[in-house]
């Protein structure tokens, strides 16, 4: 299974942008980069995913490096509700199961 | 539309007993995956079912089993419970085996005493 590396924890101030990095130097050409987050006492929640190009949705943006060996999840204005564990996961579209790492615990300070 | 529903939310069982957990996916979703989450091991994949067939299986002993019904509802069973099986069990559903993301339920908290 392709591996990802994320910082254990990060802090942000409310209403400021947050950049959550993920390194995946062994990514293969068919691996998509998925991001999920898990709020306290809830199951993980889909955030965004992409293959090569940068992606935007109502929750976040995903910036993918040109060599695809790293990516960054961008929350444009952090709110207290964004405090969660964020998981970066690689998965191809041929039915691999998701492999969750420890993720990054994001704290948002008021 | 209704989300992924897992029942029961909480369960306490005794060592040696067996337990069955239920997952109702989002209507129209054909894929159901199960995960175990513990503080020590994090989120670990158990198995995935798609159209009533097991497609993937994680590295868990044979005491852990599952099935999927024709209406896509899924159950997982753990026999001969051990203290270490205490965990949050999460179910996730997808229309197409996760290509466009999975929707997770809130989980069943199993405590083995």
């Amino acid at each position: 299974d392709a591996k990802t590396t994320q910082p254990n924890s990060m802090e942000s101030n409310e209403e400021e942008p947050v950049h959550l990095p993920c390194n995946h130097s062994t990514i293969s050409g068919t691996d998509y980069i998925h991001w999920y987050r898990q709020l306290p006492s809830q199951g993980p929640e889909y955030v965004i995913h992409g293959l090569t190009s940068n992606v935007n949705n109502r929750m976040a943006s995903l910036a993918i490096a040109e060599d695809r060996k790293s990516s960054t999840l961008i929350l444009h204005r952090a709110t207290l509700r964004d405090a969660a564990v964020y998981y970066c996961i690689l998965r191809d579209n041929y039915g691999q199961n998701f492999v969750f790492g420890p993720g990054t615990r994001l704290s948002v300070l008021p | 539309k209704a989300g992924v529903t897992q029942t029961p939310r909480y369960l306490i069982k005794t060592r040696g007993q067996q337990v069955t957990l239920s997952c109702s996916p989002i209507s129209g979703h054909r894929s159901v995956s199960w995960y175990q989450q513990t503080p020590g091991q994090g989120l670990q994949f158990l198995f995935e079912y798609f159209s009533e067939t097991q497609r993937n299986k994680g590295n868990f002993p044979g005491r852990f089993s599952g099935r999927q019904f024709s209406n896509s509802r899924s159950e997982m069973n753990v026999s001969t419970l051990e203290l270490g099986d205490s965990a949050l069990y999460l179910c996730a559903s997808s229309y197409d085996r996760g290509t466009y993301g999975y929707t997770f339920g809130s989980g069943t908290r199993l405590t083995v005493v």
Side-chain angles (χ1 to χ4, degrees):
Chain A
D1 295 327
K3 297 276 190 268
T4 62
T5 305
Q6 300 177 252
N8 289 336
S9 62
M10 291 184 64
E11 249 182 26
S12 172
N13 293 318
E14 199 176 7
E15 298 191 5
E16 290 186 356
V18 182
H19 290 231
L20 296 161
C22 181
N23 287 318
H24 29 78
S25 58
T26 59
I27 190 170
S28 74
T30 56
D31 283 333
Y32 282 74
I33 303 158
H34 293 254
W35 283 83
Y36 281 73
R37 71 180 185 181
Q38 188 171 20
L39 279 64
S41 302
Q42 294 187 26
E45 174 187 32
Y46 169 82
V47 178
I48 200 166
H49 79 287
L51 183 62
T52 55
S53 307
N54 295 344
V55 185
N56 301 295
N57 66 20
R58 63 174 179 81
M59 288 182 71
S61 295
L62 176 60
I64 302 172
E66 197 168 330
D67 63 5
R68 300 211 323 128
K69 293 184 186 299
S70 66
S71 60
T72 302
L73 179 70
I74 303 165
L75 307 179
H76 296 286
R77 286 179 74 241
T79 68
L80 297 178
R81 194 194 172 276
D82 292 322
V85 178
Y86 286 78
Y87 299 99
C88 168
I89 307 159
L90 301 183
R91 183 176 183 262
D92 67 22
N93 269 353
Y94 300 105
Q96 279 181 339
N97 51 279
F98 274 179
V99 177
F100 284 85
T104 296
R105 182 173 298 277
L106 175 67
S107 301
V108 180
L109 307 176
Chain B
K1 58 183 175 183
V4 177
T5 303
Q6 292 188 247
T7 56
R9 285 299 310 276
Y10 302 92
L11 205 48
I12 300 175
K13 288 286 190 178
T14 304
R15 254 185 316 176
Q17 287 186 313
Q18 68 96 27
V19 67
T20 299
L21 311 181
S22 179
C23 172
S24 293
I26 288 174
S27 178
H29 282 192
R30 300 176 295 170
S31 166
V32 173
S33 298
W34 289 88
Y35 290 81
Q36 181 196 65
Q37 186 170 32
T38 60
Q41 299 296 319
L43 274 156
Q44 292 186 285
F45 172 77
L46 279 157
F47 27 66
E48 179 203 8
Y49 287 87
F50 182 81
S51 296
E52 301 179 65
T53 303
Q54 188 179 85
R55 299 304 179 105
N56 272 323
K57 190 176 190 306
N59 191 24
F60 279 81
R63 301 184 297 108
F64 291 81
S65 63
R67 59 179 175 168
Q68 186 179 34
F69 301 96
S70 58
N71 62 358
S72 292
R73 191 178 70 86
S74 177
E75 289 181 346
M76 68 162 281
N77 184 278
V78 188
S79 63
T80 320
L81 283 165
E82 300 176 0
L83 295 179
D85 296 333
S86 295
L88 180 67
Y89 289 88
L90 291 157
C91 161
S93 79
S94 168
Y95 174 75
D96 55 357
R97 301 189 67 193
T99 303
Y100 298 101
Y102 284 96
T103 302
F104 282 78
S106 296
T108 293
R109 172 77 60 189
L110 172 65
T111 302
V112 182
V113 298

